[in-house]
Amino acid sequence: MSEDYLARIGGLIRDARRHQGMTQAELAEHLGTSQSAVARIEQGKQNLSLEMLARIGESLDSEFVSLGSAGPQHLRIRGGTKLSGSIDVKTSKNAAVALLCASLLNRGRTTLRNLARIEEVNRIVEVLQSIGMKIRWLPGTSDLEITPPERVDLSAMDLDAARRTRTIIMFFAPLLHDFDSFSLPFSGGCDLGSRTIEPHMTALRSFGLTVETTNGFYEARVDSSVRPTRAIVLTERGDTVTENALMAAARYEGETVIRNASPNYMVQDLCFFLQKLGVEVEGIGTTTLHVRGRSEIDVDVDYSPSEDPIEAMSLLAAAVVTESSITIRRVPIEFLEIELSLLSEMGMKYELGSEYQSANGMTRLVDLTTIPGPLVAPIDKIHPMPFPGLNIDNLPFFALIGAVAEGRTMIHDWVYENRAIYLTELTKVGVKVQLLDPHRVLIDGPTRWRAAEVVCPPALRPGVVILLAMLAAPGTSVLRNVYVINRGYEDLAERLNALGASVTIFRDI
């Protein structure tokens, strides 16, 4: 093997080991070798046999030949077939990343059950591990165990992983309790236009946090003498803004009142989790939260995030666009009622089963069966609103649904600067899309679908919209560079295939 190839393999082994929460010594014990040998392997200074690679792969639950393939991941879709069967909704991506950040509040062990194993989660796990959190996936499960060190080492932060996720801004609140000053890299994630962190600062200044931006970093300073003297009124009813305010309040012993708070699904999950940590939270599901925190939190806690309403909407859109009858199980109905009401106005038929509870004991779930039939465009424009309005992340799926409806649908994405523009990529699969401005598009349906090759937009939901449109298009389509989809969906191709789709994952040679 060449030195360059050995170094690449070594890096993959190191990353996989860290992802599993294993030390070099623990991996060496699995392999029956020494820690120094594992160190040489990870440094690319040790020749490896295929047998040894296979043993390492088995120990780390990784296929290194596959992981080492050149180039980004693509999807080949053979469309034009109907779906059938049943599928479970996975737990929430947005709740998962909030809970991972909130684990920084806890000096005890945090176990998150049935967590979404997606790239966004992986990035936050990498960041947490790099600063000293011991993290491991419990064997044979999607349960994640997090054990904190005595003190996290921010100087060791994996900056590449941190820059690839916007979630890093939710480190501000947990860290301000333990540091007088710290740095965080500028956040990334989807390309949805410029988004200021000023709403976060408006909330966190009440806890003594000030931030300056310089050379690609947020430089934070904390005045621990500053505490809230009046209600915190959020200037934006944002989900992550509310979550940051909640985490700041969680370790302040006095009472904090947060007004204009988001009552959305991921915020509710965070509130339920904080309650298990011993934090008093009142007003969950409303726009006014009363929080009484604890200066020290040291609890061994076990929590199950609820199911993802955006994934449920994705599966619903897949059924609509392919004119299929499928049963979507474990739908968090409270967070889809507006969407379903709008779909009913467009003529959609569906059946709902009896309600039952999510594993968190709080979120209402139902099983939903879609019934194919003709749709008509809505009379009014479709636009998002803070919960309990139509979810901003569900809006792009209505562009797809509008493409199969008779008539003209207007989509008004007033929140993000760029996202509506990405919906024009639907023209490549036959949709008649007219861009009015960066926030508004017109969709004329019904669509005569056609197969195409498209580079995935750099935004999660528009990327999935293109993928689902390709399920409807007869022939073979290719969607290139789908990392952004993997950020938010676990095994989406395989799960669609279980419903009868034909989606193949491949890489360029």
Side-chain angles (χ1 to χ4, degrees), residues 244-261:
N244 249 335
L246 275 165
M247 287 188 283
R251 284 188 51 196
Y252 168 54
E253 282 194 335
E255 183 178 21
T256 305
V257 179
I258 306 170
R259 300 195 189 280
N260 196 33

Side-chain angles (χ1 to χ4, degrees), residues 38-54:
V38 171
R40 288 195 303 273
I41 289 170
E42 293 186 355
Q43 292 165 8
K45 297 178 180 179
Q46 178 79 41
N47 283 324
L48 292 169
S49 65
L50 288 176
E51 179 186 1
M52 177 57 81
L53 271 175

Side-chain angles (χ1 to χ4, degrees), residues 332-351:
I333 188 62
E334 178 181 358
F335 304 102
L336 275 179
E337 288 175 329
I338 299 296
E339 286 82 344
L340 289 172
S341 178
L342 180 54
L343 287 169
S344 295
E345 290 182 17
M346 296 175 69
M348 183 178 175
K349 303 291 192 297
Y350 55 86
E351 296 176 351

Side-chain angles (χ1 to χ4, degrees), residues 16 19-20 60-62 90-93 96 114-122 125 136-144 486-492:
H19 183 64
Q20 292 295 329
L60 299 178
D61 192 25
S62 297
K90 297 274 191 177
T91 57
S92 162
K93 162 217 172 215
N114 198 26
L115 211 62
R117 299 187 74 158
I118 54 177
E119 289 300 318
E120 188 80 351
V121 166
N122 292 343
V125 166
R136 69 185 184 109
W137 293 98
L138 300 183
T141 73
S142 290
D143 300 342
L144 192 70
N486 296 333
R487 279 187 56 234
Y489 292 79
E490 181 180 358
D491 300 329
L492 182 58

Side-chain angles (χ1 to χ4, degrees), residues 399-400 403 420-435 441-444 447-454 457 462 465-466 469-470 473:
L400 183 64
I421 296 172
Y422 297 137
L423 295 175
T424 60
E425 292 292 281
L426 285 167
T427 60
K428 296 176 181 177
V429 289
V431 181
K432 297 175 184 175
V433 182
Q434 180 182 351
L435 181 68
V441 294
L442 294 176
I443 310 287
D444 287 301
T447 296
R448 185 174 180 179
W449 301 101
R450 62 172 181 264
E453 181 168 327
V454 181
V465 163
I466 302 297
M470 289 175 169

